[in-house]
């Protein structure tokens, strides 16, 4: 987190806060691209807000972990759900409408795919 905080402050030219959900996501991720990947992710998130939340982070860094191994089509569906929920100001009803599914189905898929953070804020 010290590096993430420094990268975000450098990007915004002021102090940037991270929500608990964002901190969990950043510390849980394995960072195969090391510090450069962290810098890219934090720069992108800090470009959008002074308070970075999990919804500001890219899908691959998001906290949610599916309950089982997903098929390729399920991974695409999960990523699309996360993308819709990450749009600022989007409600669950709006996300469901964009996805062409009911709200109940959206809630079920969020549970099945282990999506966390984004769903809590939408």
């Amino acid at each position: 987190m010290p590096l993430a905080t420094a990268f975000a402050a450098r990007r915004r030219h002021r102090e940037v806060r991270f929500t608990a959900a964002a901190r969990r996501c950043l510390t849980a991720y394995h960072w195969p691209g090391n510090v450069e990947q962290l810098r890219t992710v934090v720069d992108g998130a800090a470009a959008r807000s002074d308070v970075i939340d999990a919804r500001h982070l890219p899908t691959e860094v998001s906290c949610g972990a599916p309950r089982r191994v997903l098929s390729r089509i399920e991974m695409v569906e999960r990523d699309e759900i996360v993308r819709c929920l990450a749009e600022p100001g989007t409600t669950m009803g709006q996300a469901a409408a964009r996805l062409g599914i009911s709200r109940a189905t959206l809630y079920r898929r969020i549970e099945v795919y282990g999506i966390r953070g984004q769903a809590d804020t939408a």
Side-chain angles (χ1 to χ4, degrees):
M1 282 312 302
L3 278 175
T5 303
F7 293 148
R10 185 179 314 155
R11 172 74 163 136
R12 297 293 287 186
H13 304 289
R14 61 182 162 270
E15 184 180 335
V16 176
R17 293 184 303 123
F18 291 83
T19 65
R23 285 194 303 274
R24 278 192 308 272
C25 291
L26 291 171
T27 56
Y29 189 64
H30 62 282
W31 300 107
N34 295 318
V35 175
E36 188 55 41
Q37 183 184 17
L38 174 65
R39 181 189 339 257
T40 301
V41 166
V42 171
D43 278 352
R48 290 181 233 126
S49 179
D50 284 339
V51 179
I52 297 174
D53 187 36
R55 66 187 171 95
H56 296 116
L57 302 174
T59 304
E60 70 268 10
V61 180
S62 68
C63 295
R67 308 241 183 273
R68 59 183 169 74
V69 176
L70 301 179
S71 69
R72 292 169 106 187
I73 193 74
E74 288 171 325
M75 286 188 284
V76 169
E77 182 179 49
R78 180 188 187 280
D79 290 348
E80 188 62 14
I81 289 170
V82 170
R83 187 192 64 73
C84 284
L85 292 173
E87 292 177 17
T90 300
T91 66
M92 292 299 267
Q94 291 168 332
R98 285 189 191 123
L99 293 164
I101 59 177
S102 71
R103 281 182 45 182
T105 299
L106 178 57
Y107 280 110
R108 278 193 303 275
R109 298 225 174 115
I110 286 169
E111 181 63 27
V112 167
Y113 295 150
I115 298 170
R116 300 286 179 257
Q118 298 87 350
D120 299 337
T121 61

